[in-house]
Amino acid sequence: CSTPSSSPVVVPSSHDNDTNNNATTSTSRTVNVLICQKYEKGDKLTLDAVQRHVHETNDTWFRSINPLLSNDREQHLQQAFSSGRNTVDLPDCYKILFTDLERENLPYDFFLQDWEAYCSTRPHMMSSNKTCMTLETALDFLQEMQ
């Protein structure tokens, strides 16, 4: 296998079953599929190449095709922060920043790890209160974490 290839694939899933256990609402989720093909001779597939490819594919997906910080999400955040609060504590931020589906894939503990990593790259955050976010910080955090 030389260079792996992958592309987004839409996978149907069903939710909201009626009383007879029949699916009443159909939704779909997009997943990345990694396909490796064996070649007779030539390049060897390395773990480094696979990891690099997966990271590049995910970066492309989240920055270009399905950005975490969309216009709709930015408007939602502006509304959430404009309700008389200049700052929002981290547990509430977690609920505001991410959808239910995203929170299934990003547990609160992982969010806190991302938050610590984010703060460590910003000198002004090292000495400030890291238990809450402003709107500007929340937008920057999502932009950085895409």
Side-chain angles (χ1 to χ4, degrees):
C1 182
S2 64
T3 304
S5 65
S6 64
S7 60
V9 176
V10 176
V11 178
S13 62
S14 297
H15 297 286
D16 302 332
N17 294 335
D18 63 17
T19 55
N20 295 324
N21 218 19
N22 297 316
T24 57
T25 304
S26 181
T27 60
S28 60
R29 294 173 74 170
T30 303
V31 297
N32 282 327
V33 176
L34 178 68
I35 301 170
C36 291
Q37 297 175 328
K38 185 175 181 179
Y39 294 106
E40 291 181 27
K41 294 182 181 178
D43 301 330
K44 288 186 177 180
L45 182 64
T46 65
L47 180 58
D48 241 13
V50 171
Q51 288 175 332
R52 187 172 44 256
H53 176 75
V54 168
H55 287 290
E56 289 170 1
T57 301
N58 283 336
D59 285 348
T60 299
W61 172 256
F62 286 111
R63 292 190 189 277
S64 305
I65 299 168
N66 189 27
L68 190 57
L69 187 56
S70 64
N71 289 334
D72 289 343
R73 185 167 305 204
E74 188 170 344
Q75 288 175 352
H76 167 74
L77 290 173
Q78 288 172 348
Q79 290 172 351
F81 278 86
S82 69
S83 61
R85 304 188 292 189
N86 290 331
T87 61
V88 176
D89 64 349
L90 290 182
D92 288 339
C93 265
Y94 175 70
K95 294 173 188 168
I96 293 169
L97 292 175
F98 303 106
T99 65
D100 290 341
L101 181 59
E102 290 166 341
R103 287 193 301 270
E104 284 180 24
N105 295 303
L106 180 70
Y108 185 69
D109 291 345
F110 290 171
F111 162 70
L112 290 178
Q113 289 175 8
D114 287 346
W115 175 243
E116 285 296 324
Y118 170 84
C119 290
S120 71
T121 63
R122 285 156 175 75
H124 69 282
M125 296 293 295
M126 297 295 282
S127 60
S128 67
N129 184 354
K130 295 189 288 186
T131 63
C132 58
M133 288 188 196
T134 63
L135 171 61
E136 293 75 22
T137 303
L139 294 172
D140 189 53
F141 174 78
L142 286 178
Q143 184 69 37
E144 179 69 23
M145 292 298 131
Q146 309 202 85

